[in-house]
Amino acid sequence: MQNDTILTMRGIDKQFPGTRALSKVDFTLRKGEIHALMGENGAGKSTLIKVLTGVYEKDGGSIWLEGVEGEAHIHSPQDAQKLGIATVYQEITLCPNLTVAENMYIGRTEGQIVPWKEYEKKATALLNNLGIPARAKQELNHCSLAVQQMVAIARAVDMNCKVLILDEPTSSLDDKEVEMLFSLMRDLKSRGVGIIFVTHFLEQVYEVSDRITVLRNGELVGEYAIEDLPQVELVAKMMGKDLHDLSDLEQIGSKHKAEDEIIYEAQKISSSESKPFDFSIHKGEVNGFTGLLGSGRSESVRAIFGADRVTGGKVKMKGKEVKISKPHDAMKAGIGYLPEDRKKDGIIADLSVRENIILALQVMRGFFRPMSKAQMEAFADEYIKALNIKTASQDTLVGSLSGGNQQKVILARWLLTHPDYLILDEPTRGIDVGTKLEIQKLVLKLAAEENMSITFISSEIEEMLRTCSRLIVMRDRNIVGELTGDQLTQAQVMKTIAGGGQ
Amino acid sequence: MKRREPLTNTQLLMTIAIGIFIGMYALAMAFLGGGFLKAQQFFDILNDNSFLILLGCALTIVMIGGGINISVGGVVGLTVMACALYLNGTNIENSTLSISVTLLLALGIGLAFGIGQGFLISYMEIQPFIVTLAGMFLARGLTTMLSIYPVKVTHEGFKELVKQKLQIPFLGYIAKNGNLIPAKLEIGAIVALVMLILTWYLLKHVKLGRDIYALGGNQQSALMLGINVKRSRFLSYVISGFLSGLAGFVYLLHMPAGKADTANASEMDAIAASIIGGTLLTGGVGNVFGTFFGVLILATIKKIIVLSPLNDSWWQDMASGAMLGFFILLQSIVLSTREKRKIKAADKAALQKG
Ligand SMILES: Nc1ncnc2c1ncn2[C@@H]1O[C@H](COP(=O)(O)OP(=O)(O)OP(=O)(O)O)[C@@H](O)[C@H]1O
Ligand SMILES: [Mg+2]
């Protein structure tokens, strides 16, 4: 063992009912290193982190920390914090009813009396320093998801820790915020902090990391220096097989023709959150809305689905005028919608995987026409396979699935309804590369083979370029351009977003 | 840049309760006149309900932590009975000493219930409703075991203490015969007000209090933020028990007799007062000052009904029930419109940033 090692985990085992989440996993973290922990959804990354921070008790193995005699015994997040381990968990773990400042300092300050003034001063300084658009005395539930994520990061970064753990910290951040986080990470690194970084964005891994540890199915695949592991190999190591189907994707392609029937058509549709806009989509077409975070791309599709209060506009479905003022109307008209904020509008943690998958279909059929058990099982099985959902069984509670697998369950819910028109807002966020491709393929297949019309939104432009045959570009809540054919290049999209013309 | 933060949910709900209380009281003064024009009317409300203020604090604490405690009324009943029997049976000559022992007995009973229930709820992870329901039955059972007959306190020293009142001349009134009758506040009411302030301080400024808010806000998050969730929850029940024991002693000071059904259903009044004052059953939101006004609102309604032609106990109950329903409705409307505005505001912030 080198003497610049600050954390050593050896032979870590963790068993959940029905799942072996970790078996004999080793992990080593050195001073001043950014160490990416990689693996598919459900590989055991978050579990390894939670074992380290005392959220879960390990079933076997040992942990050593620099500065601690003998094995480190960590039985609660409190212990971990005291030993200098700061963590940003995958799911945001702050208290919505407390202020921003209190969320930054609660649970880690000495003394029995709360130093409110000091909290406020220090928090304000920290917020300004990091450019987080929030006020110290603001209640956390008044903050957007991205801001909450940043507050969690600020709390961890401020902890003067030896080990900093970031479990998918970038999933709801935009490019600028990610850049800021990276410069923060580099700064901490130069001060000798060891950082564990989990993400599904491969470019981000190569941008900041020094070393990569790969897990697969709860087992250690290996530890590599970043320069020894090119991206293609990393993916192969994560999936256990090579990824070479980008070409397949092109073959499927989008086959719709301009003279195909128009499925959905809206004139001057507007909602409480979006300005009036016109939009239509053909049968079998895959299109996308793009633009920066907050450009109104999500609000536009929410208006289509009636998720916000609709304030005006005419809507035609297959040429017939329909009135869509709430999600239920949209569903009856044949529109499906996977929302961006799945924590809020999606997952029901206390229901099983099967029930979660069946949910929307059941609503569409009406509760008085129940499906047979066998039918439900068949449907659930089909999508668990198609989306590679890692779950012990159909009856497992969704709450116990890994973050990415929960996302897949909700995606399955909407795919299963086979709507005429499906809207997917960030369907691949938090999902591993292999499955991301599977989802893109599935989207194209649904369009080509079942003539489904699909609107696809993603912050990753490459992903949209690969799937969409038409891109609608938005800025400041206005549609500023529409790109098709040859115009569908990264450069052109960027230019349009930035305002460089059509 | 100095800017005022919007009211938190806690503050907003409490403000509503205070506003409604003031409005109600003003209307009573205008239309019913009589007693309501005297300061003593207000002090009587405090005197009669001092034990309920303490129980309100006891419930607000556990409710903020996301729990519930329905044993508090039973604990008051048991404490009152035990203390009355002790006072009548004691052979300690020194009356101050015997009264002190009585106070310790009351607090001891409350703490014992708090510790026992807190342990089962927090460390054995049994539903608080079930544990405290059992606690309530246990307390009522023990009370009848001690005596099925009412027990009047005969201890001279204690009876003397009961008569002690704080006289406030400048809030008094001139009686028909021209004498000044000062306003009177009982010891129990003073104790209740002091504890109210201490509880407020605990919840607002002491680490444990904040941990209880965090725990009620999101238990999983509280754990991950490094809060000792089990200990905080345990202590919230211990404090709740302590306050119930003290409430028993205060009850005895107001009405020096023990009965099997003393303070019957007062846990429900305490829960109602907390809710009216803005404590949410879902946890994480609440404030004891709100609860204080909740107690005042319930008590004032009862007073108003006593003075009105509808003087019947079922009218009182119906009015309390209607009040509670009204508040819950109001709260959910206020909070849901807030929720919508909040999301808009968050979006706007994101937009400005982008
Ligand atoms: N609390 C739990 N109860 C039961 N099973 C669990 C629990 N937490 C995780 N698991 C299981 O353990 C496995 C590993 O999950 P983990 O959350 O560590 O995955 P991950 O690598 O973080 O994936 P993702 O990229 O999706 O976040 C999964 O199969 C998951 O279903
Ligand atoms: Mg994870």
Side-chain angles (χ1 to χ4, degrees), chain A residues 16 19 21 41-47 56 90 168 200 390 400 402 404:
Chain A
F16 288 117
T19 329
N41 297 128
K45 305 176 297 288
S46 300
T47 306
Y56 298 145
Q90 184 172 6
E168 293 194 39
H200 289 293
K390 208 166 161 259
S400 75
S402 82

Side-chain angles (χ1 to χ4, degrees), chain A residues 55 77-78 81 93-95 97 102 111-114 116 133 135 137 139 141 155 176-177 273 294, chain B residues 3 5 8-9 204-207 210 213-214 217 221 223-228 284 342 344 347 351 353:
Chain A
V55 177
Q78 212 180 3
Q81 277 180 25
T93 53
L94 298 173
C95 288
N97 58 330
E102 202 172 5
Q112 289 304 311
I113 304 299
V114 180
W116 285 112
R135 298 178 306 277
K137 280 165 85 175
E139 221 174 302
N141 60 10
R155 172 189 165 95
K176 232 169 53 197
E177 292 160 337
E273 310 299 322
Chain B
R3 76 175 266 190
E5 287 301 325
T8 61
N9 287 343
K204 174 78 193 173
H205 293 287
V206 177
K207 186 163 162 287
R210 301 318 296 174
Y213 271 98
S221 293
L223 181 75
M224 308 269 212
L225 288 171
I227 288 164
N228 192 333
K342 210 151 54 191
K344 253 192 219 163
D347 281 359
L351 200 69
K353 186 176 47 127

Side-chain angles (χ1 to χ4, degrees), chain A residues 370-398:
Chain A
M371 283 168 272
S372 75
K373 181 111 192 270
Q375 220 175 351
M376 292 198 262
E377 277 171 0
F379 282 144
D381 247 347
E382 184 187 335
Y383 280 92
I384 287 173
K385 279 215 193 71
L387 297 181
N388 192 15
I389 298 175
K390 208 166 161 259
T391 173
S393 78
Q394 295 192 355
D395 296 302
T396 308
L397 297 187
V398 164

